[in-house]
């Protein structure tokens, strides 16, 4: 984050670095700067930990450029190896003038005050270096990793080119970085291992300085190689007491974004304990920073420092993502400011509509179900209670019972996987609404017609409240059949509410015509009757107290597609569970609106 009114994100496009301003008022101006100083593809970018406007880039062309985003027309400093392309570049966390880069198997240390000659050169590995990272508390400490299956710790102030310590690994190392807590180091394999390995940097007396050691912990879950990771903090540092907790975010070639929780026993293995004094010289760059979200069109500033907003309470997705994608990618790229000349030309930018284009057909409307499949919070084994809910029916291949969904999103994904004929036009888990459509036998003479249903899931669903359905009425839906459909939706919803189970699977099969109303509700009602009604309950009628505690279920509305009017079909199943129909008048007026 910048101290200026900019919220920058940097991405690369071959030899150019694109500076995106998330706070741009118009999506057409999302790309604020194009940094063009390299002749070949950029391999790494890194912001300074001391100056939010200072950025470093490195490239296959062997150059390392430093940029000041207040004057982005050309680099403000340049270093070059001349012999090998650069793979990594990192600013020192303690000294704002020191920067490190890796070129083939060599580590170069540069000082911005000493011209183009490296301050120190170290032949660190036998093969190409792919990861470097500065120590978080010691200004001269740096770690390197390579495909030679080693992680090496260096002190560039030492007189000899000998590492302080070497950790041997059973895999080629792609990245190795210090953790923002304790004495941890997280290593990411380049191939042959899909886990992340957390090592303890402290050297016990009985362990050699160059040895294979087991990791303190392994972060598992990805089915393919991990491509990137970062740490997400929550909490703060008050009076030098460190109360932070951390979450590991990983992204892999399996296209999964995973959030790993770190329990206290994992943190203690690398020497970190919450509530203790912070380590000396630890540079916390985001201390007291304001958390800002760009999820909505109008950005919202949330009070408190980084991590003070509950991670679990931050919404994952809201609304139709297609508008955001079009604004940030299509319009932004087409209007990207392109320098008039290559390299370090004049500081004149020209807004061009022909410089960078995105093909219109490449921007497809997002598939909500596919997106939701990438969001998982653990996984539980199905219990006996959920297994008994499976309702097989004749003539269907769907005879396997559904697992008990852990959330509304899980239920929607399970049903979407099972019923491919149901199309989800809109899903918003945060607002608990969904719209789905299908073709079902609801026309004249039971002909197949198009059906569209809007559903709102209250916060008490499915344990205490039923969902509210809104059927979009078209000219192909006769009034009598439409009323029959709405009655069936009400009955199914109330039947599953009595069991405190989600009804979306039964509703989908009912609307598709694959199950009759009796097949949809009878197994649940019969099982519920056998579980909760014993011989002693059959001795007399329901008491008035029992009757008052019954839920009267949702409303089924009908939206007229032609005139956009809305009507309610009334209380069509008031006595489905033995209720007095007069109870309905307390909830629904004659015009169908809630009191």
């Amino acid at each position: 984050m910048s101290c200026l009114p900019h919220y920058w994100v940097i991405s690369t496009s071959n030899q150019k670095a694109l500076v995106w301003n998330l706070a741009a008022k118009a999506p057409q101006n999302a790309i604020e700067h194009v940094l063009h100083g390299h002749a070949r593809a950029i391999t790494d970018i890194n912001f300074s930990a001391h100056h939010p406007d200072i950025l470093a880039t490195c490239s296959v062309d062997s150059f390392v450029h430093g940029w000041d985003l207040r004057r982005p027309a050309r680099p403000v400093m340049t270093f070059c190896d001349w012999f090998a392309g650069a793979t990594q570049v990192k600013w020192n966390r303690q000294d704002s003038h020191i920067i490190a880069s890796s070129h083939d198997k060599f580590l170069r240390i540069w000082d911005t005050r000493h011209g183009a000659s490296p301050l120190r050169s170290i032949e660190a590995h036998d093969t190409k270096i792919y990861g470097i990272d500065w120590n978080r508390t010691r200004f001269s400490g740096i770690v390197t990793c390579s495909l030679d299956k080693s992680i090496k710790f260096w002190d560039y102030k030492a007189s000899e080119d000998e590492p302080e310590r070497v950790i041997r690994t059973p895999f080629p190392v792609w990245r190795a970085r210090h953790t923002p807590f304790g004495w941890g180091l997280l290593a990411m394999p380049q191939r042959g291992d899909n886990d992340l390995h957390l090592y303890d940097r402290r050297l016990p007396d009985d362990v050699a300085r160059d040895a294979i050691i087991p990791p303190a912990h392994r972060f598992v879950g990805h089915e393919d190689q991990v491509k990137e990771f970062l740490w997400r903090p929550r909490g703060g540092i008050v009076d030098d007491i460190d109360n932070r907790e951390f979450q590991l975010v990983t992204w892999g070639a399996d296209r999964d974004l995973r959030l790993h929780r770190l329990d206290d026993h994992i943190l203690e293995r690398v020497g970190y304990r919450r509530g203790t004094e912070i380590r000396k010289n630890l540079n916390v760059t985001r201390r007291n920073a304001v958390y800002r979200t760009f999820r909505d069109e109008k950005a919202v500033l949330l009070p408190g420092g980084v991590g003070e907003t509950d991670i679990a309470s931050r919404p994952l997705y809201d609304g139709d993502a297609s508008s955001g994608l079009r604004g940030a990618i299509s319009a932004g790229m087409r209007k990207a400011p392109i320098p008039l000349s290559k390299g370090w030309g004049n500081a004149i930018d020209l807004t061009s509509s022909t410089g960078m284009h995105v093909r219109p057909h490449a921007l497809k409307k997002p598939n909500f179900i596919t997106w939701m499949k990438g969001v998982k919070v653990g996984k539980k084994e199905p219990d006996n209670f959920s297994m008994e809910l499976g309702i097989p029916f004749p003539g269907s291949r769907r005879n396997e019972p559904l697992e008990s969904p852990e959330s509304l999103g899980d239920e929607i994904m399970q049903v979407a996987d099972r019923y491919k004929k149901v199309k989800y036009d809109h899903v918003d888990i945060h607002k608990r609404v969904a719209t789905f459509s299908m073709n079902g036998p609801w026309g004249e003479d039971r002909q197949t017609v198009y059906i569209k249903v809007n559903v709102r899931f209250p916060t008490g669903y499915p344990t205490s409240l039923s969902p509210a359905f809104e059927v979009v009425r078209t000219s192909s839906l006769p009034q009598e059949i439409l009323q029959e459909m709405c009655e069936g939706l009400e009955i199914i919803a109330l039947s599953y509410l009595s069991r405190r189970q989600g009804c979306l699977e039964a509703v989908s099969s009912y609307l598709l015509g694959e199950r009759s109303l009796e097949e949809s509700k009878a197994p649940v009602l019969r099982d519920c009757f056998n579980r909760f009604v014993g011989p002693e309950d059959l001795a007399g009628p329901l008491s008035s107290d029992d009757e008052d505690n019954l839920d009267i279920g949702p409303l089924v509305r009908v939206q007229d597609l032609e005139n956009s009017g809305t009507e309610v079909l009334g209380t069509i199943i008031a006595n489905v569970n033995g209720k007095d129909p007069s109870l309905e008048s307390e909830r629904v007026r004659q015009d169908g609106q809630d009191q």
Side-chain angles (χ1 to χ4, degrees), residues 334-385:
R334 284 197 294 266
K335 300 296 183 179
I338 305 298
L340 284 176
S341 59
K342 295 182 179 180
W344 309 341
N346 298 329
I348 302 176
D349 285 346
L350 183 66
T351 299
S352 170
S353 61
T354 60
M356 304 177 72
H357 287 276
V358 176
R359 295 180 180 177
H361 66 267
L363 296 175
K364 298 180 180 179
K365 188 173 182 178
N367 185 304
F368 297 99
I369 302 302
T370 302
W371 184 91
M372 289 166 54
K373 286 180 180 178
V375 181
K376 291 287 185 181
V377 183
K379 182 177 181 181
K380 295 192 300 184
E381 294 295 328
D383 53 21
N384 295 331
F385 189 72

Side-chain angles (χ1 to χ4, degrees), residues 43-305:
T43 55
D44 194 20
I45 53 179
N46 185 240
F47 270 103
S48 170
H50 307 274
H51 305 290
D53 303 304
I54 301 299
L55 170 74
T57 61
C58 67
S59 167
V60 181
D61 61 8
S62 78
F63 280 88
V64 175
H65 291 320
W67 304 84
D68 189 336
L69 295 182
R70 295 165 294 188
R71 294 175 292 172
R74 65 182 66 191
V76 295
M77 65 191 79
T78 295
F79 309 102
C80 186
D81 179 84
W82 300 110
F83 297 102
T87 54
Q88 288 270 280
V89 60
K90 292 292 182 290
W91 289 98
N92 193 298
R93 292 189 170 98
Q94 302 295 324
D95 191 332
S96 62
H97 299 286
I98 301 299
I99 187 171
S101 62
S102 57
H103 305 259
D104 194 46
K105 56 184 179 180
F106 290 92
L107 173 66
R108 311 292 191 193
I109 309 297
W110 312 88
D111 191 324
T112 60
R113 301 162 294 186
H114 289 180
S117 177
L119 187 66
R120 182 73 184 274
S121 294
I122 300 174
E123 186 175 352
H125 290 268
D126 298 329
T127 60
K128 182 182 290 188
I129 300 171
Y130 278 99
I132 60 176
D133 190 56
W134 287 100
N135 192 289
R136 292 181 177 268
T137 57
R138 188 160 56 98
F139 80 96
S140 60
I142 190 170
V143 64
T144 61
C145 64
S146 170
L147 301 187
D148 61 5
K149 301 183 180 181
S150 68
I151 302 171
K152 297 185 179 182
F153 299 85
W154 305 87
D155 184 348
Y156 80 84
K157 287 291 187 180
S159 57
E160 298 182 358
D161 292 349
E162 292 293 333
E164 297 179 313
R165 186 187 178 188
V166 180
I167 296 178
R168 303 290 177 179
T169 64
F171 50 82
V173 188
W174 186 252
R175 297 286 187 268
R177 300 175 190 155
H178 297 89
T179 61
F181 52 85
W183 283 266
L185 182 91
L186 192 62
M188 182 173 72
Q190 188 262 349
R191 63 180 182 272
D193 193 324
N194 301 333
D195 302 335
L196 290 178
H197 299 252
L198 178 64
Y199 290 97
D200 187 357
R201 294 189 289 112
R202 296 172 296 182
L203 183 64
D205 295 335
D206 57 345
V207 176
R209 291 185 176 273
D210 188 340
I212 299 177
I213 63 171
H217 184 74
R218 296 176 63 177
F219 296 94
V220 302
H222 283 282
E223 298 178 357
D224 205 339
Q225 294 301 134
V226 179
K227 293 298 184 182
E228 189 54 278
F229 66 88
L230 58 84
W231 296 99
R232 193 181 187 190
R234 181 171 67 176
I237 301 172
V238 180
D239 297 331
D240 291 334
I241 300 300
D242 194 347
N243 291 308
R244 297 174 299 162
E245 51 185 327
F246 298 90
Q247 186 182 63
L248 177 63
V249 183
T250 61
W251 169 256
D254 55 4
R255 296 182 293 181
D256 279 351
L257 180 72
R258 291 184 172 268
L259 285 74
H260 305 263
R261 178 174 141 186
L262 277 74
D263 295 326
D264 290 340
H265 71 277
I266 300 176
L267 298 173
E268 291 177 359
R269 291 176 186 173
V270 293
Y272 177 76
R273 180 174 295 179
R274 293 177 59 198
T276 58
E277 188 175 357
I278 191 172
R279 292 179 60 193
K280 187 178 180 181
N281 297 329
L282 180 64
N283 185 13
V284 182
T285 57
R286 294 178 177 87
R287 184 182 298 188
N288 299 324
V290 176
Y291 173 77
R292 179 165 183 171
T293 174
F294 295 90
R295 176 179 58 85
D296 300 319
E297 291 184 6
K298 181 180 290 187
V300 179
L301 278 172
L302 302 180

